[in-house]
Amino acid sequence: MSPRLASLITAALAAACSPGPAPAAQPEPPPPGYQTAIFAGGCFWTEEKAFDGLPGVRSAVSGFVGGARPRPTYEQVVRGGTGYREAVLLTFDPTVISYRSLVDRYWRTIDPTDPTGQVCDQGPSYVTAVYATEAQTAAAEASRKAAQAALGAKGAGFVTPVYPAMRFWPAGPEHQDFARRHPGRYEAYRVGCGRSARLRALWGAAAVG
């Protein structure tokens, strides 16, 4: 990352990325008839925004997945060594939007050819992955194959995997609904990071974010 970009990102994140209060012990269970989906897609602010308000999506929660330490904090995760990745937990109504539709959208919110993070956000906590339940795995794998085919030659380096679902831990409240609560700071981050430009170059008009 260039010094100028680092300065932009630091200014955008300064207030929000402090450790903050301890995260919730666990997310609320989905209401009867609803299901959940977990996507690690780099910065969880961006993934949350990409799904929040989508018809059929009841909630999008920023948090962490992939590690073993209980109740991880943001500070612990970004320091490294925990195995956790930033992720979003979606609670959705499958009678309105299917899991497959959510995974199809997910690919268009990330650069699945980046093995080490997402654009300006680099490091283990920003590596992408789909975390699917046993019942979701076939749809996730089929969606992955279709997304790779849609990229054509650009999909040759498609590296984002589908993993078995793991325990999700919510991030602190200062990270929830960040784009909605702090639109100016989020926009500074989005533009400074260059993620939207990268997604458009990769996905064209299908890019989300």
Side-chain angles (χ1 to χ4, degrees):
M1 187 187 307
S2 70
R4 182 178 182 186
L5 180 55
S7 177
L8 281 169
I9 301 303
T10 298
L13 307 187
C17 288
S18 59
Q26 59 184 10
E28 295 182 4
Y34 281 76
Q35 298 177 12
T36 59
I38 300 175
F39 303 130
C43 174
F44 47 31
W45 298 343
T46 302
E47 287 301 295
E48 183 185 276
K49 186 176 188 299
F51 290 97
D52 197 24
L54 196 66
V57 175
R58 177 185 174 94
S59 65
V61 177
S62 290
F64 311 105
V65 69
R69 179 198 301 256
R71 302 190 183 190
T73 65
Y74 180 85
E75 183 180 45
Q76 290 167 343
V77 173
V78 298
R79 188 187 304 133
T82 64
Y84 280 105
R85 306 178 190 203
E86 292 196 10
V88 63
L89 172 71
L90 308 179
T91 299
F92 67 98
D93 183 347
T95 67
V96 178
I97 188 168
S98 67
Y99 176 75
R100 172 64 189 266
S101 295
L102 292 173
V103 189
D104 287 347
R105 181 178 180 86
Y106 163 73
W107 303 119
R108 276 82 181 166
T109 71
I110 65 167
D111 174 2
T113 69
D114 188 342
T116 57
Q118 289 291 285
V119 195
C120 69
D121 294 315
Q122 294 292 309
S125 64
Y126 297 113
V127 175
T128 58
V130 174
Y131 287 85
T133 65
E134 185 176 355
Q136 294 170 339
T137 298
E141 291 286 7
S143 177
R144 184 185 189 279
K145 184 176 180 179
Q148 185 173 10
L151 286 176
K154 291 183 289 187
F158 200 112
V159 295
T160 301
V162 174
Y163 288 141
M166 295 183 68
R167 177 75 177 267
F168 176 92
W169 297 89
E174 74 277 18
H175 291 293
Q176 307 301 333
D177 299 315
F178 187 86
R180 179 179 59 79
R181 293 186 299 107
H182 305 289
R185 274 190 279 168
Y186 178 78
E187 191 65 9
Y189 159 76
R190 186 188 66 80
V191 174
C193 186
R195 180 162 171 164
S196 295
R198 172 56 185 156
L199 294 180
R200 287 194 300 271
L202 191 65
W203 295 105
V208 179

